[in-house]
Amino acid sequence: MLSTSNQKEIFSLDNISLLCYQYYEDLYTNCLRKQSYNYLMEQGMPFTPDSFALNISQENKDICECYLAAGMDVNCRDKDGTPMLNIAARNDKVE
């Protein structure tokens, strides 16, 4: 068991600040992922490759960015096995 003096060293403000700084990007990414996922759910958009493909074909850039931020893999395929890049190309959606 740690002594009281060791506990103070472990939980010092400097150590907590360093820990937060080291993992800030991960914390930020996870927070953004959760917020994006929740936004999609609130809008009634399922988190599926088919829904992502529909938004790509309709060129809903902001929604597509939410899918990506929420963790959708850009290399996923729809239910027919079509890659997202092909869906974008077929619909002349360059962005």
Side-chain angles (χ1 to χ4, degrees), residues 29 32-34 36-37 47 64-72:
T29 301
L32 181 61
R33 177 173 284 168
K34 185 176 180 180
S36 298
Y37 181 84
F47 191 71
C64 289
E65 287 176 1
C66 276
Y67 274 99
L68 295 173
M72 181 67 68

Side-chain angles (χ1 to χ4, degrees), residues 1-12 15:
M1 182 156 197
L2 294 173
S3 69
T4 306
S5 63
N6 288 340
Q7 288 175 347
K8 287 180 183 176
E9 288 178 23
I10 291 173
F11 296 110
S12 74
N15 289 341

Side-chain angles (χ1 to χ4, degrees), residues 16-29:
I16 292 172
S17 296
L18 180 60
L19 178 68
C20 290
Y21 180 75
Q22 287 176 336
Y23 295 105
Y24 176 77
E25 285 186 36
D26 292 336
L27 292 170
Y28 179 77
T29 301

Side-chain angles (χ1 to χ4, degrees), residues 60-76:
N60 294 330
K61 184 180 174 187
D62 293 337
I63 298 297
C64 289
E65 287 176 1
C66 276
Y67 274 99
L68 295 173
M72 181 67 68
D73 184 6
V74 73
N75 296 313
C76 65

